[in-house]
Amino acid sequence: MEQQAHFITLSTPDLDAARAFYRDGLGWTPLLDVPGEIIFFQIAPGLVLGLFEATKFVADMQGRPDDGRLGGLTLSQNVATPADVDATVKRVVEAGGTLVKSPQTAEFGGYHGHVADPNGVVWEICHNPGWRVDETGRVHLEPIENTP
């Protein structure tokens, strides 16, 4: 089996609020938007994030209402500069996100802040100079010096 994922799907009790967070806050363009049901965003080559209205999500799994809860999940977006971290966090909060951690220098040497979407999913908005994607799409993570 290949080491890959094609969809990450999150249950959301308020699809309209989630749409505003991702579309207006993060500035993403929907790949497919089915009002009242699901919205998809392509987030990387071959990778899609789906936000599925909670009752429809649970029904799709033939589960119980409490099966739609999220927990223990953090997503991260790397941006080009610390100023981009500040601007993205500000824009996301203005679009309905909740500030979890103000942008600041990270222990690993980069710069990051944390915001929660309307579902409580925490996003780390990060500038990590040790992270890059090469022309083949492979991710490279390298240690960076943590300077005071």
Side-chain angles (χ1 to χ4, degrees):
M1 185 170 182
E2 292 186 47
Q3 184 172 310
Q4 60 184 348
H6 298 106
F7 285 85
I8 299 169
T9 304
L10 305 176
S11 169
T12 178
D14 188 340
L15 187 59
D16 291 333
R19 178 182 294 105
F21 178 92
Y22 288 88
R23 186 192 61 205
D24 304 335
L26 290 178
W28 292 2
T29 302
L31 182 64
L32 176 66
D33 188 346
V34 181
E37 186 171 334
I38 196 163
I39 186 169
F40 292 106
F41 297 94
Q42 182 170 350
I43 58 174
L47 182 59
V48 173
L49 175 66
L51 301 166
F52 204 168
E53 194 280 324
T55 56
K56 294 183 186 322
F57 175 86
V58 171
D60 186 57
M61 294 190 308
Q62 298 178 336
R64 299 180 321 268
D66 64 346
D67 290 339
R69 293 180 304 204
L70 293 172
L73 173 73
T74 301
L75 302 175
S76 184
Q77 180 180 38
N78 262 320
V79 295
T81 68
D84 290 336
V85 171
D86 293 336
T88 302
V89 167
K90 180 179 186 292
R91 190 174 63 243
V92 164
V93 169
E94 289 171 352
T98 302
L99 182 64
V100 174
K101 178 179 174 183
S102 295
Q104 57 193 266
T105 300
E107 286 187 33
F108 65 84
Y111 185 77
H112 66 170
H114 291 82
V115 292
D117 79 359
N119 303 305
V121 175
V122 176
W123 274 85
E124 175 192 36
I125 308 300
C126 182
H127 168 67
N128 181 344
W131 177 88
R132 69 180 176 85
V133 179
D134 69 21
E135 61 281 347
T136 69
R138 182 179 174 147
V139 173
H140 298 268
L141 282 172
E142 300 166 5
I144 55 176
E145 270 191 50
N146 189 357
T147 54

